Amino acid sequence: MYLLKLILANSLRHKLRSALTVIGLLVAILAFGLLQTVVGAWYAGVDAASASRLITRNAISLVFPMPQTYRDKIRRVDGVAAVSYANWFGGVYQEPKNFFPKFAVDHESYFALYPEYVLKPEEFAAFKRERKAAVIGRKLAQEYGFKLGDIIPIKGDIYPGQWEFVVRAIYDGKDAKVDTSQMLFHWDYINETVRRALPRRANQVGIFLVQLKNPNDAAAVSLAIDKTFKNSLAETLSETEKAFQLGFVKQTEAIVIAIRIVSFVVIFIIMAVMANTMAMTARERIAEYATLKALGFGPGFVALLIFGESLAIGALGAGLGIAATFPVAAWFAAKIGTLFPIFEVSRDTLLMQIAAGLVVASVAALLPARRATAVKIVDGLRHVG
Amino acid sequence: MSGVPSDTAPAVSIRHVSKSYWRGGQRIAVLNDITFDIAAGEFLALMGPSGSGKTTLLNLIAGIDRPDSGSLIIAGVDVAQLSESGLAKWRAANVGFIFQFYNLMPVLTAFENVELPLLLTSLSRRERREHVETALSMVSLTDRQDHYPSELSGGQQQRVAIARAIITDPTLLVADEPTGDLDRQSAEDVLSLMQQLNRQLGKTIVMVTHDRRAADRADAIMHLEKGEFSEREMVQLSENVT
Ligand SMILES: Nc1ncnc2c1ncn2[C@@H]1O[C@H](COP(=O)(O)OP(=O)(O)O)[C@@H](O)[C@H]1O
Ligand SMILES: [Mg+2]
C-alpha cells in the first residue's frame, strides 16, 4: 500500500514528462499492434486454411489450367472424399482499386467442400437455380453495399467482355478467420460463354479442390494424384491448402519481414526514450535514494521504486495503446476494405503488446536502477547541497 | 536528568581512524589517525571550517561510510566490520539522521515521512500509527501530519525530519548542519528540540555545525582544524540557557 503510493506519487511528480512518456508509449504500442495485425492479416489465409483439403494445380504454374476431365480421375484416387474446382476470374468492378477475389466455381460441389461458408438454404437454392447468380461474402456486401438481387457488373480481363452477375446469396463465415470478401459464381456460365468465343479455352480448370477422407493422408494422396497425371499434357502439383496459401504469402514475404522489423524498431525507439526518461528521473532522485539507504532501506527497495515507477508509467502507456489498438484497427479495417480479407487484432498481437510494454518498462528501469543502487550513500547525499 | 555523562561506557569509540579520498589521481587525506570517545548521552558539536572533514567524520560515525583504517565501536559494535546489509540493519535500529536540507520524501505527507523507517520493523499498522503520532506530538506538528513537505516551512520540515530520526528510538542521533538552512528562530526551535531529546530521552547526539551559537547548545565542542587532521581537545561548557 505504502510502497504503491510512493511509486504512484513518484510517477506523477513530473506530470509533463510522465504524460509525454505515456503518449509516446501509447503511440508505439499502438503502432506495434497495428503493424503486427497487418502481418497477421497477411497470413490470415494460411491460418484459416484447412489441413483436410488439397489443392491441385498445373505443375508448371498456377496460370496454366488443367482439363476439367481430371476431376473424375482425381475422385478415383484412394483417400479422396470429394473433388470440386474453381477458376480465378480476375476482372474489375468499376475501378481497378476495387479489388476483391472472384472465382468461378462448380456450383454443385464447391460449397460442400467449404462448410465454413455459411449460407441460408433458400438463398443457396436461388443461387443454384440461376446461371448468372453469384454468392458474395458478408464483408464484400457491406463494403460495397451489395444486396440480394443487385446486379454486379464486372469488366473481364482473363475472361474478356462485360459480365453481369446477380447477387442471390450472401455467406457468413463460420468464425472470424473466414474470408468473407469473395465473390463466387457459376463455372458453367463462364465456361459456356468462353466456349462460344474462345473454344480452345473451354473446359479448363484453374484449381481442383480435394477433400481428404483423412487429413493425415495429405502427403500420400498428393503424391498419388500427381502420379496419375505424370507424363500427361498437364502435369499436376498437389499440396495442402495451407501450403498453397503459404506459397502465395512467400512471394511477398520481404514486405512482411520489413513490416515486422519496423514494428520492433518502433518498440526499440520507445525503449530508448523511456530509458532516458527513467535515467533523468533517477538521477534527480539520487539524494532521495541515498536518504532511504541511510535510513536502512536496502538497494532492493530503491530498485523496486525505480522499476515500479517505470512499470506504472509503462502499464498506463501500454494499456492505453492496447485499448486504442482495437478501435483503430477496426477503423483501419473498414478503410482498407477487402484488401485484407481478415484484419483483426489477434490474441497473439495482444500478448505481444503486453510483453512489449513490460520489456520496455523493465529495460528502461534497468540501468537507472543499477546506478541508483550502486551509488554510495555519502556520494548520493552530497547531491543535495 | 542531565545529558552530561561521566561514568557510563562511551557510546562511540573512535580509534586511529583515517579516511582519504582520491580525486584526479591525487589522494586527499581528510581524516588522519583520529581517536576520541563520545560518551553515552553526550551532545557533541563538531566545528571546523568548510572542507575540514566534519561531514566525513559524521558519516563514519553514522555508519554510512567506512574508514580506510582504524575502528569505530558504536554501542559495542565495530561498524567497520559489518557487511553492507548488516550495516543497513544496524543503522535502522541505532542511528537517527538529521540533514541540513531535511531530506524528506516530497511525495509523502509529514505523517508518512515519519512512518517511513518503521516499514523496516515488524510493527503493525496500528502500532506504527501510535508511534508516529507520539513522535509528531513531540515535535509539536500533530496538526500538520497530513501536510506535504512543500506545504511546510523549513523549520517545520526539519522538525518532521527529527520526528523521523527518533521514530525507531535510536540511541544515537547524527545531525549535519541541522540549522544551516534555517532562519534564526526556526534554528532556535530545532536546537531546543535536540537539546530536549538529549536531556529528556538521553539520546547521544553528534551535530556538525559551523555556527557558534548552535554549537553552544551542545555539552561539548570539538574542533576539526582546517587542513587534514588536527584535533582539538573537548571543550566542556557550562550549563547554557535554553
Ligand atoms: N566523495 C568524495 N570524493 C572526493 N572528495 C571528497 C568526497 N567527500 C568529501 N571530499 C573532500 O573531503 C574534504 C572534506 O569534506 P567534508 O567532510 O564534506 O568537509 P566538511 O563537512 O567539513 O565541509 C573536502 O575537501 C571534500 O572536498
Ligand atoms: Mg559538511
Side-chain angles (χ1 to χ4, degrees):
Chain A
M1 232 298 285
Y2 193 98
L3 182 66
L4 205 65
K5 164 166 184 185
L6 196 52
I7 287 169
L8 292 180
N10 268 338
S11 320
L12 294 173
R13 258 161 91 173
H14 285 281
K15 292 200 176 55
L16 181 64
R17 185 193 294 169
S18 297
L20 289 174
T21 309
V22 164
I23 290 170
L25 261 163
L26 188 164
V27 172
I29 294 292
L30 171 63
F32 178 76
L34 290 178
L35 292 171
Q36 286 297 328
T37 303
V38 169
V39 172
W42 223 288
Y43 285 99
V46 179
D47 287 343
S50 164
S52 66
R53 284 191 295 254
L54 299 179
I55 290 185
T56 297
R57 60 174 171 98
N58 191 304
I60 301 168
S61 157
L62 201 55
V63 300
F64 293 100
M66 298 159 289
Q68 189 200 8
T69 51
Y70 278 19
R71 181 194 187 180
D72 292 330
K73 290 180 186 158
I74 294 173
R75 195 156 31 198
R76 284 197 294 273
V77 171
D78 253 1
V80 172
V83 184
S84 187
Y85 50 91
N87 286 23
W88 176 258
F89 185 79
V92 171
Y93 170 66
Q94 290 177 342
E95 283 180 77
K97 76 172 175 62
N98 295 337
F99 172 82
F100 50 88
K102 306 166 199 75
F103 286 100
V105 303
D106 178 39
H107 62 280
E108 291 294 348
S109 61
Y110 185 83
F111 289 93
L113 260 75
Y114 287 87
E116 58 262 51
Y117 299 162
V118 180
L119 285 156
K120 291 201 183 72
E122 65 277 13
E123 291 183 13
F124 186 40
F127 161 71
K128 288 210 275 195
R129 268 197 306 273
E130 191 175 347
R131 297 184 78 68
K132 289 188 168 188
V135 175
I136 62 173
R138 180 70 60 192
K139 185 169 181 179
L140 181 59
Q142 278 163 357
E143 167 138 17
Y144 294 97
F146 296 143
K147 293 181 299 294
L148 292 179
D150 281 1
I151 289 173
I152 303 179
I154 303 289
K155 191 175 180 305
D157 35 36
I158 301 172
Y159 299 95
Q162 277 298 338
W163 300 83
E164 281 188 349
F165 303 97
V166 192
V167 178
R168 288 300 178 208
I170 296 175
Y171 73 88
D172 287 292
K174 195 181 72 213
D175 56 48
K177 281 183 163 185
V178 177
D179 178 1
T180 61
S181 70
Q182 304 184 95
M183 177 177 183
L184 310 164
F185 33 77
H186 292 227
W187 185 90
D188 285 348
Y189 169 49
I190 308 300
N191 192 50
E192 217 170 75
T193 314
V194 168
R195 183 170 13 212
R196 267 184 266 123
L198 305 154
R200 242 179 347 101
R201 283 183 57 189
N203 301 327
Q204 300 285 317
V205 162
I207 50 175
F208 285 101
L209 311 156
V210 180
Q211 179 74 52
L212 295 168
K213 283 182 181 149
N214 181 348
N216 297 331
D217 297 338
V221 175
S222 299
L223 279 175
I225 292 172
D226 295 344
K227 211 172 130 203
T228 308
F229 303 108
K230 196 96 193 146
N231 299 322
S232 63
L233 211 54
E235 296 196 347
T236 61
L237 177 72
S238 303
E239 57 194 345
T240 61
E241 202 177 277
K242 235 184 183 60
F244 179 79
Q245 293 284 0
L246 204 54
F248 264 111
V249 175
K250 277 266 188 290
Q251 298 170 5
T252 49
E253 205 164 37
I255 300 173
V256 180
I257 290 170
I259 293 173
R260 274 224 169 99
I261 290 173
V262 169
S263 76
F264 286 107
V265 166
V266 168
I267 292 302
F268 186 78
I269 291 171
I270 194 65
M271 195 183 277
V273 169
M274 190 159 174
N276 184 51
T277 305
M278 288 313 298
M280 241 192 304
T281 301
R283 201 177 311 124
E284 286 168 5
R285 300 192 189 152
I286 284 292
E288 277 170 44
Y289 300 142
T291 304
L292 286 171
K293 286 197 272 185
L295 295 182
F297 289 91
F301 184 81
V302 170
L304 197 63
L305 284 185
I306 297 173
F307 272 99
E309 185 169 346
S310 194
L311 284 171
I313 293 173
L316 184 61
L320 290 174
I322 289 168
T325 306
F326 291 90
V328 174
W331 173 82
F332 199 64
K335 275 275 168 213
I336 55 170
T338 48
L339 189 61
F340 285 122
I342 310 295
F343 194 84
E344 277 218 331
V345 184
S346 68
R347 216 179 73 105
D348 284 359
T349 297
L350 184 70
L351 292 177
M352 277 170 84
Q353 284 180 301
I354 294 172
L358 274 175
V359 168
V360 166
S362 308
V363 171
L366 206 60
L367 283 179
R370 264 183 62 138
R371 186 160 176 272
T373 52
V375 166
K376 285 166 58 186
I377 298 174
V378 289
D379 295 332
L381 287 176
R382 275 177 203 275
H383 254 255
V384 190
Chain B
M1 57 173 151
S2 169
V4 184
S6 45
D7 44 27
T8 34
V12 179
S13 175
I14 297 168
R15 292 288 172 272
H16 306 294
V17 162
S18 296
K19 178 80 183 174
S20 51
Y21 290 108
W22 287 91
R23 201 188 296 152
Q26 204 141 17
R27 187 164 159 271
I28 302 162
V30 180
L31 300 174
N32 206 346
D33 199 19
I34 303 266
T35 295
F36 71 98
D37 286 344
I38 302 171
E42 186 175 359
F43 185 172
L44 174 70
L46 280 175
M47 291 197 75
S50 188
S52 55
K54 304 182 296 293
T55 295
T56 302
L57 180 57
L58 194 72
N59 288 345
L60 291 174
I61 294 169
I64 55 175
D65 203 358
R66 292 173 187 277
D68 296 341
S69 60
S71 69
L72 289 114
I73 315 270
I74 302 172
V77 177
D78 188 348
V79 292
Q81 301 302 314
L82 290 176
S83 70
E84 210 54 52
S85 64
L87 200 54
K89 274 208 193 75
W90 175 83
R91 281 196 306 272
N94 295 287
V95 186
F97 286 87
I98 304 169
F99 303 96
Q100 178 175 0
F101 298 104
Y102 335 123
N103 291 26
L104 300 174
M105 298 295 129
V107 295
L108 298 180
T109 62
F111 186 98
E112 291 162 337
N113 265 290
V114 176
E115 189 184 11
L116 197 53
L118 293 183
L119 298 186
L120 292 166
T121 68
S122 55
L123 294 182
S124 73
R125 212 183 147 75
R126 221 199 61 217
E127 289 167 321
R128 293 205 305 262
R129 167 162 286 279
E130 286 167 7
H131 279 67
V132 173
E133 279 166 356
T134 308
L136 279 171
S137 78
M138 284 177 72
V139 299
S140 317
L141 281 175
T142 304
D143 55 333
R144 298 302 175 108
Q145 65 170 40
D146 294 325
H147 289 228
Y148 287 90
S150 60
E151 300 164 344
L152 298 172
S153 71
Q156 288 169 331
Q157 289 187 60
Q158 193 60 296
R159 275 147 61 199
V160 173
I162 290 172
R164 179 180 67 184
I166 59 172
I167 191 71
T168 55
D169 198 24
T171 51
L172 177 66
L173 297 183
V174 294
D176 196 349
E177 313 260 14
T179 59
D181 201 45
L182 298 179
D183 60 72
R184 195 68 245 163
Q185 187 52 52
S186 299
E188 291 298 332
D189 292 348
V190 162
L191 289 166
S192 298
L193 191 54
M194 290 176 67
Q195 217 164 23
Q196 199 185 324
L197 294 174
N198 170 247
R199 300 204 171 162
Q200 291 175 8
L201 301 178
K203 304 290 180 202
T204 307
I205 302 180
V206 187
M207 172 177 75
V208 163
T209 184
H210 56 242
D211 176 1
R212 180 74 215 191
R213 278 208 271 177
D216 281 345
R217 297 294 202 97
D219 301 326
I221 302 175
M222 220 182 76
H223 289 271
L224 263 168
E225 274 299 306
K226 160 176 173 285
E228 292 172 345
F229 50 81
S230 102
E231 182 210 333
R232 282 273 183 84
E233 83 279 14
M234 310 235 302
V235 183
Q236 290 291 330
L237 294 169
S238 57
E239 196 75 4
N240 41 44
V241 228
T242 345

